[in-house]
Amino acid sequence: MARPADARKDQDLLNILIANARTSVADIAKALGVSRATAQGRMARLEKQGTIAGYTAILGKEDHVTAISAIILIELEVRQQGNVIAALRKRAEVVNCYTLSGPFDLLVKINCATSVHLDEVIDWIAEMDGVRRTTSSVLLARKFER
């Protein structure tokens, strides 16, 4: 069982990586007040435990970023969640999928190159076996992301 001080250091490390996944291990160690080896060890442990599942790039707001994104809320037929999630996982446009409480069962974020492509993917989701209904919202502007 982790000591409270260790848990706080782990959370501080995670917060640093959430803010900038490219922060150097040396800078992380300095911010945490630990050695570079200790910081590297904490990161390796968190990766092995699955707490850190990967590192990613967040695209900027530049004009050359032409992707259009949408959030799709999905209501499922009873016992179809596994099949629907398996099909969604196979589509590269689907970047996130969450289960929900409430009237909808899944929240899916999709990224597409054009509005026509977005419309095709939304139609594909709505027509899937096991999908009862969908509600879609196009994302307009990212104000911040962690």
Side-chain angles (χ1 to χ4, degrees), residues 66-92:
T66 58
I68 184 168
S69 300
I71 299 296
I72 316 299
L73 297 172
I74 303 171
E75 181 183 344
L76 299 172
E77 299 288 338
V78 176
R79 299 184 192 157
Q80 291 298 313
Q81 181 173 299
N83 295 333
V84 171
I85 290 174
L88 291 169
R89 187 184 310 271
K90 293 178 184 177
R91 292 292 296 250

Side-chain angles (χ1 to χ4, degrees), residues 30-77:
K30 184 177 178 182
L32 297 177
V34 299
S35 71
R36 187 184 186 289
T38 299
Q40 184 67 49
R42 283 180 183 277
M43 290 173 65
R45 179 178 46 79
L46 292 168
E47 290 169 0
K48 185 176 179 181
Q49 291 173 340
T51 302
I52 297 174
Y55 301 85
T56 189
I58 299 170
L59 300 178
K61 296 181 182 181
E62 292 80 17
D63 291 336
H64 69 274
V65 179
T66 58
I68 184 168
S69 300
I71 299 296
I72 316 299
L73 297 172
I74 303 171
E75 181 183 344
L76 299 172
E77 299 288 338

